[in-house]
């Protein structure tokens, strides 16, 4: 039997009805074999008794008998198949998380090797064999195992989705392409896949290219940052070296001044002491003369001699005489001089900083769609002042309570700088605001609400709207204000351009939206504040 089994294949012992190895095989009069149960059930369903293989028709239902030889050989193949399955099951692990299980296995389900798009069933290696050997099943389309094969069926027509609608970007079945998608661009799945793949690959390559450019941009910004850092370090070392030298020089001058005063004091004291000692000697001499005269009995002569001696006594008044030097104010004067030098250094630094800042100048123009109805804008969009109410469309971008106007330009990265003339104005507000600010009704201008502003009130009262407001003490009233924003650094700084002085800085800001320059000329106060805010061209000086 073993030799015979080497010549025979399992295909020869498969029932053509159940596609499995014969169980109780029986013969029909035409000579074909079937499982006893399979052929009886087949004939129970069909009125006519017909051979499923050769289609021979029998007038009466044939009497079926078990084919003993075929039965034994089928049993041998069944045992062999079971042994192979057991051997394979010892090597083939049961499905694990993330793997597709066989839909046919009972009990412990083995890992599926393929999924059939016709049967909509996933098969392990054993149950897949008929699809690899039987001619009828070989035509079925097999793919790598996937779960939820029912998702590949059209829910409307219960047909396999084997087409792709490029118009609606969705998978459809054949009936869909003839109904709802009749006029659409429908292609086979493979063509749709290839098109999508090419499109996705192009998009990925474009994204890769953008990111490579971004890497180059970041590297370039790092190089620029390194240059800025080196320059700042060099400037800082130069400034602090000069300050250190100034401090040391002032210290040396202070010590020399105090020592020189002490030397003069000591010299003066020596002169005073010498003069006093001479007077003491003279007074001792006069005392001896008085003692000698007192022994005489000629009172007239003694009295006259006393008068003469008294006239010869030292007449200098030593009540105010001292050698105390006046050191008070010496250190203070030295510190005042040092403070002047430091102020000069700071001014030089701010001037250099302002020159660098001005290299980030941008062109800014006012956006009339955001302007409060009482604001008057110049035709070139560079000036704004307060006027009378105008009937304008109340679009979402327009301020309807505060006399604000935004610039057309917005910024969401890098540094930008612009200058505004505030000459002859008694009040104004300047700065930047984020895109999502509230533009209707009363506004609280704080960083928490998206505003980074400074303002002038009552002609000479300057404030930073920091929530709460910070009063600013300025040495002079600025006529032109420079505004710098460093988006990544989270910095908004305001400068007095003409004085080259820093007015105020908002630091540690976190910007996540577009930023717009904001201008508010405030009410004209009956003509006192009628001058406009003017966006001025930046003078790029070196």
């Amino acid at each position: 039997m073993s030799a015979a089994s080497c010549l025979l294949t399992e295909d020869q012992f498969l029932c053509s009805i159940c596609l499995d190895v014969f169980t109780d095989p029986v013969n029909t009069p035409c000579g074909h074999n079937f499982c006893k149960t399979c052929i009886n059930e087949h004939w129970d369903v069909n009125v006519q008794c017909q051979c499923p293989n050769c289609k021979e028709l029998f007038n009466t239902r044939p009497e079926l008998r078990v084919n003993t030889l075929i039965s034994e050989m089928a049993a041998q193949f069944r045992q062999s198949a079971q042994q192979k399955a057991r051997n394979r099951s010892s090597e083939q692990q049961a499905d694990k998380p993330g793997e597709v299980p066989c839909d046919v296995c009972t009990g412990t389900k083995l890992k599926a090797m393929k999924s059939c798009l016709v049967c909509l069933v996933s098969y392990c290696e054993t149950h897949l064999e008929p699809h690899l050997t039987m001619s009828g099943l070989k035509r079925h389309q097999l793919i790598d195992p996937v779960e939820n094969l029912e998702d590949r069926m059209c829910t409307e027509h219960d047909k396999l989705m084997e087409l792709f609608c490029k118009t609606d970007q969705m998978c459809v079945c054949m009936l869909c392409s003839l109904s709802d998608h009749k006029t659409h661009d429908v292609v086979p799945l493979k063509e749709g896949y290839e098109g999508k793949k090419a499109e996705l690959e192009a998009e990925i390559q474009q994204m890769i290219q953008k990111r490579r450019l971004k890497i180059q941009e970041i590297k370039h910004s790092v190089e620029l940052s390194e240059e800025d850092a080196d320059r700042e370090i060099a400037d800082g070392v130069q400034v602090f070296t000069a300050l250190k030298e100034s401090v040391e020089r002032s210290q040396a001058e202070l010590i020399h001044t105090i020592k020189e005063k002490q030397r003069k004091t000591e010299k003066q004291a020596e002169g005073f002491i010498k003069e006093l000692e001479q007077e003491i000697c003279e007074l001792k001499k006069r005392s001896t003369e008085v003692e000698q005269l007192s022994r005489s009995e000629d009172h007239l002569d003694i009295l006259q001699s006393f008068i003469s001696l008294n006239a010869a006594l030292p007449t200098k008044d030593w009540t105010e005489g001292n050698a105390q030097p006046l050191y008070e104010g010496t250190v203070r004067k030295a510190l005042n001089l040092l403070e002047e030098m430091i102020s000069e250094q700071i001014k030089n630094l701010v001037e250099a900083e302002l020159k660098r800042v001005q290299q980030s100048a941008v062109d800014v123009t006012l956006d009339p769609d955001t302007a409060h109805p009482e604001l008057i804008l110049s035709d070139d969009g560079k000036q704004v002042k307060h006027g009378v109410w105008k009937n304008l469309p109340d679009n979402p971008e327009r301020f309807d309570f505060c006399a604000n106007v935004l610039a057309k330009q917005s910024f969401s990265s890098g540094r930008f700088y612009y200058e505004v003339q505030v000459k002859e104005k008694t009040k104004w507000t300047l700065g930047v605001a984020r895109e999502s600010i509230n533009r209707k009704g009363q506004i609280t201008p704080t960083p928490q609400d998206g505003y980074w502003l400074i303002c002038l009130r009552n002609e000479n009262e300057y404030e930073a709207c920091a929530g709460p407001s910070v009063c600013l003490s300025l040495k002079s009233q600025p006529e032109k204000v420079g505004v710098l924003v460093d988006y990544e650094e989270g910095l908004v700084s305001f400068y007095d351009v003409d004085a080259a002085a820093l007015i105020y800085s908002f630091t540690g800001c976190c910007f996540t939206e577009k930023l717009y320059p904001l201008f508010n000329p405030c009410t004209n106060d009956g003509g006192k504040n009628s001058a406009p805010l003017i966006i001025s061209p930046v003078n790029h000086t070196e």
Side-chain angles (χ1 to χ4, degrees), residues 22-41:
F22 289 123
T23 301
D24 296 332
V26 294
N27 291 102
T28 58
C30 58
H32 293 109
N33 295 294
F34 304 96
C35 294
K36 185 176 181 179
T37 303
C38 293
I39 191 63
N40 281 327
E41 289 179 352

Side-chain angles (χ1 to χ4, degrees), residues 158-216:
D158 198 28
K159 295 289 184 181
L160 183 66
M161 292 187 292
E162 50 188 347
L163 300 172
F164 180 71
C165 177
K166 297 172 71 175
T167 305
D168 292 336
Q169 293 291 297
M170 61 184 295
C171 296
V172 297
C173 70
M174 182 62 72
L175 293 179
C176 289
S177 68
L178 300 175
S179 56
D180 296 342
H181 301 266
K182 184 176 180 179
T183 60
H184 294 180
D185 186 5
V186 179
V187 297
L189 281 180
K190 184 178 181 181
E191 183 179 339
Y193 148 76
E194 291 174 348
K196 269 292 180 185
K197 179 185 175 184
E199 181 182 326
L200 184 60
E201 287 177 346
E203 183 178 356
I204 291 173
Q205 290 302 318
Q206 186 178 8
M207 293 175 69
I208 291 173
Q209 184 63 23
K210 285 184 178 179
R211 280 150 181 79
R212 284 175 176 167
L213 292 174
K214 190 63 179 179
I215 289 174
Q216 294 178 359

Side-chain angles (χ1 to χ4, degrees), residues 94-138:
D95 68 296
K96 299 176 182 178
E99 295 179 343
V100 179
C102 175
D103 294 326
V104 182
C105 287
T106 58
T108 303
K109 290 187 175 292
L110 301 181
K111 180 176 69 174
M113 304 302 293
K114 292 289 183 180
S115 294
C116 178
L117 294 180
V118 179
C119 303
L120 296 179
V121 175
S122 296
Y123 298 103
C124 65
E125 186 176 355
T126 301
H127 293 111
L128 179 65
E129 192 166 345
H131 278 75
L132 303 177
T133 56
M134 297 189 65
S135 58
L137 298 177
K138 283 182 178 180

Side-chain angles (χ1 to χ4, degrees), residues 428 454 462 472 474 478 480-482 494-496 501-505:
W428 47 260
I454 64 169
Y462 294 90
L472 306 177
L474 307 184
K480 185 182 292 183
V481 176
F494 300 85
Y495 297 88
D496 181 340
L502 178 66
I503 297 174
Y504 185 79
S505 287

Side-chain angles (χ1 to χ4, degrees), residues 288-326:
T288 302
E289 291 179 357
V290 170
E291 181 66 26
Q292 290 175 353
L293 287 172
S294 63
R295 295 178 188 158
S296 173
E297 294 180 356
D298 187 349
H299 294 97
L300 177 62
D301 182 57
I302 294 173
L303 186 58
Q304 291 177 343
S305 296
F306 280 172
I307 294 172
S308 177
L309 284 173
N310 187 57
L313 290 177
T315 59
K316 187 172 182 178
D317 184 7
W318 290 95
T319 304
E320 302 297 330
N322 62 70
Q324 179 86 23
L326 296 176

Side-chain angles (χ1 to χ4, degrees), residues 15 21 44 59 63 105 145 174 200 215 233 263 287 332 360 367 390 425 446 455 469 524:
C15 172
V21 178
D44 288 342
N59 295 326
E63 183 180 352
C105 287
M174 182 62 72
L200 184 60
I215 289 174
I233 290 173
R263 186 187 65 79
S287 177
R332 178 176 52 78
S360 301
D367 184 359
K390 300 182 295 295
K425 293 194 66 64
T446 65
C455 63
S469 296
N524 59 20

